[in-house]
């Protein structure tokens, strides 16, 4: 289930694509470009859904903090400074998404994420790989949280990805 704004965004991208100049090979190049944009949108939607911990269609400040604390635990185990992680992601939420801490819809999240990706690398193929990594990390963090919910606690074994014993093993090496 993806946010409804994605359908409108996909439609706009396709419309813009087909309005491109009609030079030899332009339609084929344009369709590849549109397919890549759709993949980027799909990955952004997946990342949003993974971070929306209560599945209400909005990203809340506390959800961003909680998920990133889970990811930090996976990377650093008991060495992770949860207060520092919380401070970092609360500040990010307030400075980049919602100054008042009001939950944000996919459209706001997507706009911010597009800026982040453009700042890292302007190449859409590179952006796709970056988003795939973000989705993998968020998925691992979410699974750890889900496991914590069902078990009541998270053991160091579940969270320690450096020993490849956790649920995500080596797929969760690169930090967001």
């Amino acid at each position: 289930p993806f946010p409804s704004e994605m359908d409108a965004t996909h439609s706009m991208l396709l419309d813009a694509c087909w309005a491109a100049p009609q030079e030899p090979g332009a339609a084929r190049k344009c369709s590849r470009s549109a397919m890549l944009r759709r993949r980027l949108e799909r990955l952004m939607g997946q990342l949003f859904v993974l971070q929306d911990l209560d599945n209400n269609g909005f990203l809340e400040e506390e959800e961003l903090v909680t998920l990133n604390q889970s990811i930090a635990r996976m990377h650093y185990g008991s060495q992770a400074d949860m207060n520092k992680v919380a401070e970092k992601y609360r500040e990010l939420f307030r400075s980049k998404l919602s100054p008042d801490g009001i939950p944000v819809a996919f459209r706001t999240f997507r706009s911010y994420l597009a800026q982040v990706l453009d700042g890292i690398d302007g190449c859409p193929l590179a952006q796709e790989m970056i988003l795939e990594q973000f989705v993998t990390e968020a998925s691992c963090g979410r699974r750890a949280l889900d496991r914590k919910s069902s078990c009541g606690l998270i053991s160091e074994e579940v969270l320690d990805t450096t020993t490849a014993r956790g649920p995500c093993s080596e797929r969760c090496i690169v930090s967001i």
Side-chain angles (χ1 to χ4, degrees):
F2 295 108
S4 60
E5 292 106 338
M6 287 182 55
D7 294 333
T9 304
H10 285 163
S11 178
M12 289 187 313
L13 289 171
L14 288 173
D15 290 346
C17 177
W18 290 113
Q22 296 301 315
E23 57 187 65
R28 185 176 28 219
K29 180 179 179 184
C30 189
S31 66
R32 283 194 304 259
S33 176
M35 286 185 348
L36 180 57
R37 286 187 186 118
R38 284 194 303 269
R39 287 196 311 261
L40 291 174
E41 288 291 323
R42 181 183 53 78
L43 288 166
M44 287 183 191
Q46 285 178 327
L47 185 59
F48 182 84
V49 168
L50 286 166
Q51 293 186 62
D52 179 15
L53 301 178
D54 64 5
N55 300 314
N56 70 351
F58 293 93
L59 178 60
E60 300 165 26
E61 182 177 327
E62 206 51 42
E63 292 172 327
L64 185 66
V65 169
T66 300
L67 184 61
N68 280 284
Q69 285 177 325
S70 177
I71 292 168
R73 277 188 212 102
M74 289 187 309
H75 286 288
Y76 306 108
S78 61
Q79 302 296 322
D81 184 342
M82 293 299 109
N83 291 329
K84 189 173 181 179
V85 172
E87 182 181 319
K88 175 182 178 178
Y89 286 97
R90 280 194 179 95
E91 197 281 323
L92 182 144
F93 192 90
R94 298 286 177 128
S95 67
K96 304 295 184 183
L97 295 170
S98 175
D100 298 321
I102 298 169
V104 297
F106 174 72
R107 182 175 305 216
T108 302
F109 173 80
R110 186 219 172 276
S111 177
Y112 165 69
L113 188 54
Q115 290 175 2
V116 169
L117 292 169
D118 286 341
I120 295 171
D121 196 318
C123 173
L125 289 173
Q127 291 179 352
E128 180 182 31
M129 289 186 286
I130 293 164
L131 277 171
E132 287 171 345
Q133 180 63 34
F134 287 178
V135 166
T136 298
E137 290 223 355
S139 179
C140 292
R142 179 93 185 235
R143 269 195 303 251
L145 288 171
D146 291 344
R147 194 171 243 190
K148 178 180 180 181
S149 295
S150 64
C151 300
L153 60 107
I154 300 180
S155 69
E156 288 303 311
E157 182 175 308
V158 169
L159 295 172
D160 187 1
T161 60
T162 60
T163 62
R165 294 182 311 197
C168 305
S169 73
E170 296 174 0
R171 293 186 317 169
C172 294
I173 301 302
V174 179
S175 174
I176 294 177

